[in-house]
């Protein structure tokens, strides 16, 4: 996506701007996205168990600061990444929607854990069966709750989206990429010890 | 049944000779010292019995440990529908007693225990919210876990596990509208 | 799925449809809404405060923002399946909930678990207590403005996660217990990890905590005499756990109604119950709550060290002869009897055959008395699975505790209470 070259009066300025324009273009392509993807400000919408793992991600061992996303802000107006951690009850859904609407563009949403993505084990009257029914979601992180490494993988997935799609607003992105983090579990045969 | 609980039962029967308490363990066939004793009280006498259990020297139930309700709709051999269950605990004497009070449709009502134990406040609101049993004399009987205007009492046995569509009743936010 | 609700039925509003009186013009009273999404409410609590300047005149608490129908779900899952849901109840110490749930189930079934199982369950219950207190204390530091304690406390907590992962395969949601025993036995390496944690990791960590908080003047001044709860009020409100003990209530189920290894003669050979002290504070304030929790961490480590070298040998599950417990996995995979037995347990039209009746079993968990009241009609699933949630009952007195304090003290009181929303709303 190429920005329209601004028209300037005067020859000297024109000379400067053509050079600058190329630079700005490059910066827009790489620099801005690079800076933006490494400075995501998450809003921890932590409702349940996943919230504790989210605290674990922010704490000393896993340290989300390595990915530039340690600046947790609790007001939606300062954030650009909504991490919905935990199940959303019927009474909480309007709150989540209001918080999403209050966030400024551009914004991304991670649905963390089985409950936020699909309702998880709580197939009951009181739990929303996946927040993506009522809210656009960019990345689904599986797990109940996801291990911190999986959430970091989810943050990196958002970074890839930012890298590829740039700083387009939600309206321009349409349905978006809707990535799902693949569970990278190593399968071990059960019962080998007992047999040998 | 331990000795202290035996004394409580004796005291109850002396004080309320006209009430049939139907003293029985919650679960039959256990060792006597492990038995959890339950008494039945009709709703009309509940307030007096509770006040007695709180004040009498032999009972001294200072704490309302738990208050809940069971909907015996399809329970085998059940005659009444809602069993409001009080779990009482005495810290000084160290014994427990379960008190059951059965009420029925269409207008299940039980006197409130908030005047005796302040801790009954939210527990009674929860029972009202989940089962629709009203507590007369409760200072602030609002729904607590669902919102005002929720169309059902979810823990009743005739309410389906997956609800009646409450969880789908929202506006959808698209990227266009955000 | 078609919606049964008529279109005119009220939808939930962003604040649960509850309204409060608007401020009167000319009045000095200011209404402030805190929550349900607010960093200091930890999860999903909502307070409506009426303020005169910074002083709280009244507080109204709205809960239910995490109501997930646990008790309804309990009526549709069998006694082994429901343990998965109890993990998500008090998610700060899931192991303690697992143990409390199956403690109640075993009361209903009339099963006496094996000494080895008792010892392992006691150790993990105490580890869960340490885990819970670490988060509570760390976050009260965080809420009062100190980020460093949180980092230190979480560091110790991660090692408990490792211990749990070693014994059950998941660091967080454990689902480790089963009716009549455990999912699997522990390996010798596990005991080494526990010992390493209690001797090498925890004591220096506690020294760090003391330096960071106990001797921290800001912390003391923010918590001393804040949120006073008298002993009589604590009893009358039904408050249990560290909150009650900080108000001088001498009550600990581990001493008063002993179970597992806290009881004498727990292994059937006359061994005395584990030795420990129950810390009591008569302060009744937030500082007292903090000090009680810190001392409980030390006592828990003391209990673990008594047991970890003396875990009795023998089976970890009761013998599956009475067909109530699940057979060992090796037996299921490699013998036809084991496979049949396993199917008998897990098929929906077979399974558990509890007696008809009701039972209440309670454990002392980190927040207080966590009890389960089970009603059984003899079927495979409970007829009613009531949970006595300590957070729910403790949290009621919050409205009274904060009146007269400043706004910032509201946060201090809340974090010292350690309210866990999933346990609160269920």
């Amino acid at each position: 996506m190429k920005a329209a070259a601004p028209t300037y009066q005067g020859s000297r300025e024109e000379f400067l701007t053509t050079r600058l324009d190329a630079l700005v273009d490059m910066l827009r392509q790489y620099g801005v996205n690079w800076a933006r993807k490494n400075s995501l400000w998450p809003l921890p919408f932590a409702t349940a168990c996943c919230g504790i793992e989210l605290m674990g991600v922010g704490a000393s061992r896993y340290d989300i600061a390595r990915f530039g996303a340690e600046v947790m802000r609790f007001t939606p107006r300062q954030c650009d990444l909504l991490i919905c951690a935990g199940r959303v009850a019927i009474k909480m859904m309007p709150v989540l929607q209001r918080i999403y609407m209050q966030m400024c563009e551009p914004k991304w949403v991670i649905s963390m854990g089985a409950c936020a993505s699909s309702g998880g084990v709580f197939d009951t009257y009181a739990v929303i069966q996946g927040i993506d029914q009522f809210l656009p979601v960019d990345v689904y992180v599986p797990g109940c709750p996801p291990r911190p490494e999986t959430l970091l993988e989810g943050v990196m997935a958002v970074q890839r989206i930012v890298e590829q799609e740039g700083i387009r607003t939600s309206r321009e992105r349409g349905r978006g990429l809707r990535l799902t983090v693949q569970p990278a579990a190593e399968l071990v045969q059960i019962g080998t010890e007992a047999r040998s | 049944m331990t000795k202290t609980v035996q004394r409580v039962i004796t005291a109850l029967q002396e004080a309320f000779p006209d009430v049939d308490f139907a003293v029985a363990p919650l679960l039959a066939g256990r060792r006597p010292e492990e038995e959890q004793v339950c008494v039945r009280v009709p709703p009309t006498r509940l307030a007096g019995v509770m006040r007695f259990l709180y004040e009498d020297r032999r009972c001294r139930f200072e704490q309302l440990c738990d208050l809940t309700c069971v909907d015996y709709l399809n329970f085998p051999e059940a005659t009444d529908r809602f069993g409001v269950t009080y779990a009482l605990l005495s810290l000084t004497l160290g014994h427990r007693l379960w008190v059951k009070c059965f009420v029925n449709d269409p207008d299940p009502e039980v006197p409130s225990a908030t005047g005796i134990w302040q801790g009954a406040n939210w527990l009674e609101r929860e029972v009202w919210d989940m089962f629709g049993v009203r507590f007369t004399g409760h200072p602030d009987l609002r729904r607590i876990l669902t919102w005002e205007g929720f169309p059902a009492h979810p823990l009743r046995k005739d309410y389906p596990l997956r609800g009646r569509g409450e969880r789908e009743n929202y506006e959808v936010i698209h990227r266009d509208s955000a | 799925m078609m919606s049964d609700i008529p279109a005119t039925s009220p939808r939930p509003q962003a604040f649960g449809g509850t309204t409060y009186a608007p401020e009167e013009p000319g009045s000095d009273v200011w209404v402030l809404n805190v929550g349900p999404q607010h960093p200091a409410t930890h999860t999903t609590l909502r307070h409506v405060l009426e303020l005169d300047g910074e002083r709280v005149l009244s507080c109204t608490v709205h809960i239910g923002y995490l109501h997930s129908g646990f008790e309804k779900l309990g009526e549709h899952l069998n006694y082994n399946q429901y343990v998965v849901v109890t993990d998500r109840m008090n998610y700060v110490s899931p192991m303690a909930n697992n143990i409390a749930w199956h403690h109640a189930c075993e009361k209903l079934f009339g099963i006496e678990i094996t000494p080895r199982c008792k010892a392992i369950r006691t150790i993990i219950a105490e580890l869960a207590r340490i885990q819970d207190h670490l988060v509570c204390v760390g976050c009260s530091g965080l809420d009062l403005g100190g980020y460093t304690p949180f980092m230190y406390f979480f560091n110790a907590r991660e090692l408990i996660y490792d211990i749990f992962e070693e014994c059950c395969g998941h660091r967080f949601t454990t689902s480790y217990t089963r009716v009549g025993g455990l999912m699997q036995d522990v390996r010798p390496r596990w005991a080494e990890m526990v010992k390493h944690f209690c001797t090498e990791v925890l004591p220096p960590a506690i020294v760090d905590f003391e330096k960071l908080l106990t001797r921290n003047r800001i912390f003391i001044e923010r918590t001393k005499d804040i949120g006073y709860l008298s002993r009589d009020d604590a009893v009358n409100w039904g408050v249990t756990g560290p909150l009650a003990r900080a108000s001088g209530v001498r009550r600990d189920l581990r001493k008063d109604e002993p179970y597992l290894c806290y009881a004498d003669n727990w292994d059937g050979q006359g061994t005395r119950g584990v030795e420990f002290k129950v810390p009591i504070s008569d302060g009744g304030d937030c500082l007292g709550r903090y000090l009680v929790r810190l001392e409980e961490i030390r006592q828990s480590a003391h209990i673990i060290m008594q047991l970890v070298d003396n875990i009795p040998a023998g089976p970890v599950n009761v013998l599956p002869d009475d067909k109530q417990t699940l057979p060992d996995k090796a037996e299921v995979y490699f013998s036809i009897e084991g496979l049949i037995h396993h199917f008998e347990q897990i098929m929906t039209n077979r399974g558990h055959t509890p007696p008809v009746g009701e039972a209440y079993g309670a454990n002392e968990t980190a927040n207080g008395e966590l009890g389960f009241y089970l009603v059984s009609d003899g079927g495979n699933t409970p007829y009613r699975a009531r949970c006595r949630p300590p957070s729910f009952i403790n949290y009621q007195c919050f409205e009274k505790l904060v009146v007269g304090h400043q706004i910032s003290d509201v946060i201090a009181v809340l974090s010292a209470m350690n309210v866990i929303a999933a346990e609160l709303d269920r």
Side-chain angles (χ1 to χ4, degrees), chain B residues 147-175:
Chain B
W147 62 91
E148 291 296 326
F150 190 80
H153 298 289
L155 275 182
R156 288 189 174 192
K157 283 282 175 181
D158 49 8
Y159 183 80
L161 171 67
R162 295 186 176 84
R164 299 195 178 118
E166 290 90 352
R167 64 186 189 188
E168 280 120 23
N169 192 19
Y170 296 95
E171 282 176 39
V172 181
I173 297 182
H174 297 288
R175 282 220 166 82

Side-chain angles (χ1 to χ4, degrees), chain B residues 4 27 29 32 34 37 43 67 80 92 94 97 101-102 104 111 116 123 128 133 144 146 149-150 153 158 162 176 178:
Chain B
T4 51
L27 191 62
E34 283 182 3
V37 181
L67 192 167
D80 301 289
T92 40
L97 183 75
C101 177
F102 285 95
N104 279 303
I116 306 170
L123 292 164
W128 155 242
V133 177
I144 186 163
T146 58
F150 190 80
H153 298 289
D158 49 8
R162 295 186 176 84
D176 292 345

Side-chain angles (χ1 to χ4, degrees), chain B residues 94-134:
Chain B
H95 55 228
R96 290 174 186 267
L97 183 75
W98 279 261
V99 178
K100 276 200 173 184
C101 177
F102 285 95
V103 282
N104 279 303
D105 280 335
D107 213 10
E109 261 193 2
V110 174
S112 168
T114 43
I116 306 170
W117 297 283
Q118 298 180 75
N121 188 336
W122 281 16
L123 292 164
E124 289 180 353
R125 280 176 65 185
E126 191 192 353
V127 171
W128 155 242
D129 189 0
M130 293 287 124
F131 291 93
V133 177
R134 279 195 173 278

Side-chain angles (χ1 to χ4, degrees), chain C residues 172-191:
Chain C
F172 193 87
T173 39
T174 48
S175 304
Y176 187 42
T177 56
R178 295 287 181 273
V179 174
L182 299 171
M183 185 185 95
Q184 61 189 28
D185 202 348
V186 295
R187 287 184 282 183
R189 181 166 169 256
W190 180 77

Side-chain angles (χ1 to χ4, degrees), chain C residues 32 34 38 40 47 49 51 54-56 59 140 143-145 218-228 285-287 289 398 400-417:
Chain C
L32 178 71
V34 182
H38 186 272
H47 313 124
L49 303 170
L51 302 170
E54 276 210 54
R55 208 165 57 84
V56 178
C59 169
S140 54
D143 290 344
L144 297 180
I218 301 171
F219 182 76
I220 290 171
E221 295 197 354
R222 290 281 313 266
T223 52
K224 198 162 170 28
D225 298 327
I226 300 296
Y228 176 72
D285 54 359
C286 292
L287 185 63
R289 286 162 209 157
F398 180 80
K400 301 282 178 300
L401 292 191
V402 298
V403 169
H405 285 310
Q406 312 251 316
I407 302 180
S408 55
D409 298 334
V410 173
I411 306 304
V413 176
L414 186 66
S415 57
M417 271 191 152

Side-chain angles (χ1 to χ4, degrees), chain C residues 10 16-17 22 42 75 79 135 198 208 265 291 327 329 334 354 381 422:
Chain C
H42 289 220
E75 296 166 9
Y79 295 90
V135 165
C198 288
D208 284 341
N265 191 22
L291 292 173
K329 276 281 177 285
F334 303 116
T381 59

Side-chain angles (χ1 to χ4, degrees), chain B residues 30 36 66 69 72 126, chain C residues 108 358 360 384 386 426:
Chain B
R30 290 285 180 271
Q36 300 173 325
D66 193 10
C69 180
Y72 292 99
E126 191 192 353
Chain C
L108 178 72
E358 313 186 356
Y360 177 79
R384 170 112 168 82
R386 158 75 179 169
R426 298 177 315 284

